[in-house]
């Protein structure tokens, strides 16, 4: 319908012999067509830019991580221990099964009767480190069950180790 009005308008202009006006309208039409091409090019450019940006985001999201794994078991049973023999210790071996260096930041125990020491240096991929746990048996006769929360930059974040046993009191 709009096209019909435009054609009628041009016919009217031709009848009146308004060559100047027709030239101006044609220039405007050429300008609009030229800008339409530029708009299409800009759309294409922004589409390509957005696609490249999205691919870069996906690639950076797939970064390499460190993964902490206990070599034998995350649980250790001391069995029956004599209170008179003093503190008992177990060393948990941990392995970095990830692709970047593993850093153990802390090892927290559930009470003051248990202490934990860990490898301070970064553990390279495929290498092992230690978490040494000591339980002070003096003054704690009977069964015990303690947990140690190991924090690291590993994929699993906090990792739980457990020690248990039974302290046989002094006779």
């Amino acid at each position: 319908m709009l096209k019909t009005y435009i054609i009628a308008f041009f016919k009217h202009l031709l009848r009146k012999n308004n060559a100047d006006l027709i030239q101006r309208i044609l220039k405007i039409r050429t300008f609009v067509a030229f800008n339409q091409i530029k708009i299409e090019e800009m759309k294409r450019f922004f589409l390509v830019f957005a696609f490249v940006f999205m691919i870069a985001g996906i690639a950076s999201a797939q970064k390499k991580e460190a993964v902490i794994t206990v070599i034998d078991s995350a649980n250790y049973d001391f069995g029956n221990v004599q209170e008179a023999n003093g503190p008992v210790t177990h060393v948990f071996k941990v392995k970095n099964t990830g692709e970047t260096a593993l850093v153990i930041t802390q090892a927290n125990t559930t009470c003051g009767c248990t202490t934990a020491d860990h490898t301070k240096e970064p553990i390279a991929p495929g290498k092992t480190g230690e978490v040494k746990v000591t339980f002070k048996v003096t003054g704690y006769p009977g069964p015990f069950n303690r947990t140690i929360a190991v924090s690291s930059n590993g994929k699993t974040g906090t990792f739980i180790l457990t020690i248990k046993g039974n302290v046989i009191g002094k006779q």
Side-chain angles (χ1 to χ4, degrees):
M1 181 145 184
L2 181 63
K3 189 175 180 182
T4 309
Y5 287 118
I6 293 173
I7 292 171
F9 177 72
F10 275 111
K11 284 182 183 178
H12 174 72
L13 289 177
L14 287 173
R15 274 190 233 131
K16 292 203 171 214
N17 201 9
N18 291 325
D20 261 12
L21 191 56
I22 292 172
Q23 279 184 338
R24 277 194 226 147
I25 291 172
L26 289 176
K27 283 181 183 176
I28 291 171
R29 186 169 180 251
T30 305
F31 177 76
V32 169
F34 179 74
N35 281 342
Q36 189 67 27
I37 292 170
K38 282 193 171 196
I39 290 170
E40 291 300 319
E41 287 177 0
M42 288 175 65
K43 283 181 184 176
R44 241 182 262 124
F45 171 77
F46 283 119
L47 183 64
V48 169
F49 180 78
F51 180 75
V52 168
F53 192 74
M54 183 179 67
I55 295 298
I58 291 170
S60 69
Q62 296 176 350
K63 61 184 175 183
K64 298 177 180 179
E65 293 181 331
V67 180
I68 187 169
T69 308
V70 176
I71 292 179
D72 292 327
S73 174
N75 304 309
Y76 184 76
D77 187 354
F78 286 103
N80 290 325
V81 293
Q82 297 293 325
E83 186 177 4
N85 292 344
V88 290
T89 301
H90 178 70
V91 178
F92 290 95
K93 297 280 188 186
V94 294
K95 183 175 184 176
N96 179 1
T97 56
E99 298 174 344
T100 60
L102 173 69
V103 179
I104 299 174
T105 53
Q106 56 184 293
N108 296 325
T109 60
T110 52
C111 73
C113 61
T114 309
T115 58
D117 190 26
H118 57 85
T119 302
K120 305 289 191 244
E121 306 83 34
I123 304 167
K127 301 296 181 187
T128 60
E130 298 180 341
V131 178
K132 181 180 176 182
V133 180
T134 303
F135 177 68
K136 300 172 191 162
V137 297
T138 307
Y140 297 98
F144 66 91
N145 188 2
R146 303 290 185 262
T147 58
I148 301 90
V150 179
S151 300
S152 72
N153 66 331
K155 195 175 191 177
T156 55
T158 303
F159 196 83
I160 303 296
L161 302 172
T162 306
I163 59 169
K164 67 179 182 174
N166 184 38
V167 179
I168 300 171
K170 296 179 185 177
Q171 304 273 346

